[in-house]
Amino acid sequence: MKKLIQKTTGYMAAAAILVSFNACEQANDVTPDAALSAQNVAEAHQTNSMNLHQTYTVQLMELNGSGVSGMAQIDLMGDMIEVDLEASGLTPEMEHMQHIHGFTDSNKNAVCPPMSADTDGDGLISLVEGIPYYGAVLVPLTPYPMADATGMVDFMNSFSITRAARPMQNNVIVVHGMYVDGVYDPTIPVACGQIKVMNQSGK
Ligand SMILES: [Cu+2]
């Protein structure tokens, strides 16, 4: 059911893009003789697409006493994002899952879970215990990086996003994976940060 909803949302986003392209073509068609007007229309469209450029920053703070910290920057261009993420204090030479988490209901804001999220009282916030706060995985930030020998990760990649991931500042980034009682738990959250708008101008 959830998958179906996400699929439907994707189709709606695609339909919206098609409609906006059609609108542009029609606007060009109604000014066939006026070169200057056509140029103005073209510039207006360029301005619209420029407005889709937005930069976000994320300060990653430790969860579960992991000692992990880091920073991320997200550049949104239309329906593409480029994610730069640097973190330290991770379990060395282990893979760390990292995701943009949030709610597909765009009115609901994802947050990093407080210690009170530990409902079973074992002293740790599990992946599942965090979901009421940070929601589901919206964008897996793959390929999941391996921390180096000093526990650092330096990651960059680009992803296409659906409407479910908007607005971006309603989401958080969660990094996972550390040893719990001598066993590596790849799912346990070790860092989290709210996605925040860095600029409004689009430059
Ligand atoms: Cu995650």
Side-chain angles (χ1 to χ4, degrees):
M1 186 64 185
K2 200 163 196 178
K3 270 187 181 158
L4 183 66
I5 290 167
Q6 284 175 344
K7 217 172 186 179
T8 309
T9 311
Y11 289 149
M12 283 168 64
I17 290 163
L18 286 174
V19 166
S20 68
F21 281 158
N22 285 340
C24 287
E25 282 168 16
Q26 280 166 12
N28 281 330
D29 288 345
V30 296
T31 56
D33 302 321
L36 189 62
S37 296
Q39 194 182 351
N40 287 344
V41 168
E43 282 171 5
H45 289 164
Q46 198 167 15
T47 305
N48 283 341
S49 60
M50 290 297 285
N51 286 343
L52 295 173
H53 187 192
Q54 183 70 266
T55 303
Y56 305 85
T57 56
V58 184
Q59 187 172 7
L60 296 165
M61 311 284 274
E62 70 167 5
L63 283 176
N64 289 318
S66 66
V68 176
S69 63
M71 292 283 295
Q73 182 170 319
I74 300 172
D75 284 305
L76 172 71
M77 299 268 289
D79 61 356
M80 292 291 297
I81 52 171
E82 183 186 284
V83 179
D84 286 86
L85 189 153
E86 288 180 31
S88 59
L90 291 156
T91 306
E93 291 170 344
M94 296 300 280
E95 187 182 81
H96 293 275
M97 291 199 300
Q98 48 186 18
H99 310 119
I100 294 176
H101 281 253
F103 296 96
T104 50
D105 173 358
S106 61
N107 293 319
K108 193 167 179 187
N109 196 33
V111 294
C112 293
M115 253 341 276
S116 60
D118 172 28
T119 47
D120 70 3
D122 68 350
L124 293 170
I125 302 164
S126 69
L127 170 68
V128 170
E129 285 171 334
I131 287 174
Y133 298 86
Y134 49 58
V137 173
L138 297 182
V139 186
L141 302 175
T142 54
Y144 297 140
M146 186 85 76
D148 71 11
T150 65
M152 289 184 68
V153 152
D154 189 352
F155 172 88
M156 186 177 89
N157 206 357
S158 296
F159 307 90
S160 64
I161 57 162
T162 64
R163 184 159 291 191
R166 293 169 176 272
M168 197 53 72
Q169 66 268 27
N170 280 15
N171 303 324
V172 297
I173 289 180
V174 182
V175 180
H176 303 263
M178 71 174 183
Y179 279 96
V180 177
D181 298 330
V183 179
Y184 189 72
D185 179 347
T187 70
I188 190 163
V190 295
C192 178
Q194 186 80 44
I195 297 173
K196 293 180 177 172
V197 175
M198 189 164 101
N199 65 347
Q200 297 283 358
S201 72
K203 289 255 165 155

